[in-house]
Each structure stands twice: as C-alpha cells, then as structure tokens.
Amino acid sequence: MITIGVSIPVPAPYGEQLQDARRRSGDPLADAVPTHVTLMPPTDLAQVGQPEFTEHLRAVAAAAEPFRMTLQGTGTFRPISPVVFVAVAEGIGMCERLEQAVRSGPVRRDLEFPYHPHVTVAQAVADDALDRTFEELAGYRCQFEVSAFDLYLHGEDRVWRPIDRFGLGLNDTVTN
C-alpha cells in the first residue's frame, strides 16, 4: 500500500522562506514536507490504482482555472491541534472547490477536521516555539499565481515527494 497526498506547492522564494521558518520552529517534519496548501491529506491508496486516481486528478485540474493566491499573517488551531500556520487570504474559494473535487473522485477520504486552506509553519513543537513562530510570521505576506497542483508520494524514508503535477485548465500533466 502507498500513501499519497494532493497539494498546491508554494513556489520559490516563498516556499523556501516558510520552510526555513518551519525549521527554526524546531518542527521535526520541516525537511520531510515541502511547503504546500493541502487539497487531500495523507491517504492510503488502496481503494483504486494510482492510474485511475491520476486520471481523476487530470480531469479536476482541466476543469479549473489558474488563480491568484495571497498568503498573509498567521493563525493557529490551538487548543484543538498544536499547529501554527500562515493564512490563505486570497484564493480560499478556489482551494475549497479543488479540495471538494479531488476528494469526490475514486479515492474517498473523510476529514478529521473541516477543510481550512493554510500553510503549516510549526506543528507538534513546544508552546513557546509555536508562539515565537506565530509572532515571527504575523506580518508575512506573499502573492503568487496557482497554475497547478501536485500528487505527492510518502516515501519509505517518511519524506513527501511530488510525483506528478497537474496544470489547471490544461488537459495534460505538467512535467516537474
């Protein structure tokens, strides 16, 4: 069985900036998880084969249009979950539509919490590290065009790697 995820990658230089902040927080997953906005959380791909799911993702991407995303400021899921994130300030509706479409296909995934698009920058670290990261990135802001999303594979080494990219509004997979 393989574990997959579907996410919008945060492009350079913003992805690296936020990954550096995650490292500074002491987050043990900082180097295992590329900077992203989740569309489908980690999911075991036992329900269908990867080719069928890949075709579904291609159709989802083809039906969507590129959009602008703005990341701005910080938020937290505390006390429910020890997470600090950078908030999606523009592009929320498109993320929600993509997330619904991705999860409506051949691979079903129930969510533990309601969907809330965000970029995790600290998770499962001490409260003071969460507080420090929350303050450090409170004024953070970046803007970029979202033109694709990625299918990620969780490796045996516990690192997430993109294996396919799906261009929005296109009929073909985009090469990484």
Side-chain angles (χ1 to χ4, degrees):
M1 175 159 343
I2 64 171
T3 302
I4 54 93
V6 180
S7 299
I8 297 168
V10 176
Y14 315 116
E16 289 83 356
Q17 293 167 357
L18 296 174
Q19 191 129 20
D20 286 344
R22 194 166 183 172
R23 279 187 202 100
R24 287 191 303 274
S25 79
D27 188 321
L29 297 178
D31 292 315
V33 181
T35 307
H36 69 281
V37 175
T38 299
L39 296 176
M40 178 180 272
T43 303
D44 291 331
L45 195 61
Q47 300 167 38
V48 298
Q50 186 176 333
E52 185 178 346
F53 187 56
T54 298
E55 283 305 312
H56 168 69
L57 294 178
R58 185 173 287 114
V60 167
E65 293 297 321
F67 62 99
R68 183 170 45 201
M69 181 174 286
T70 301
L71 303 177
Q72 183 172 332
T74 50
T76 183
F77 294 128
R78 293 188 287 179
I80 305 298
S81 181
V83 172
V84 168
F85 58 85
V86 171
V88 174
E90 180 182 15
I92 294 171
M94 280 302 300
C95 288
E96 291 172 338
R97 286 191 284 284
L98 284 171
E99 182 268 343
Q100 284 288 317
V102 167
R103 286 193 315 109
S104 71
V107 175
R108 303 288 178 178
R109 173 65 157 81
D110 292 329
L111 298 179
E112 187 176 345
F113 302 106
Y115 181 69
H116 179 83
H118 65 280
V119 177
T120 298
V121 289
Q123 182 174 3
V125 296
D127 281 341
D128 63 327
L130 291 170
D131 293 341
R132 196 171 48 254
T133 303
F134 185 91
E135 290 300 321
E136 174 188 341
L137 295 173
Y140 187 84
R141 185 175 195 284
C142 71
Q143 217 172 40
F144 54 91
E145 283 295 310
V146 175
S147 59
F149 60 79
D150 289 350
L151 172 63
Y152 291 82
L153 177 65
H154 196 216
E156 289 182 19
D157 59 359
R158 303 180 55 97
V159 173
W160 288 94
R161 292 179 180 86
I163 57 171
D164 279 314
R165 177 161 288 174
F166 301 90
L168 302 182
L170 304 175
N171 290 321
D172 295 321
T173 301
V174 176
T175 304
N176 278 339

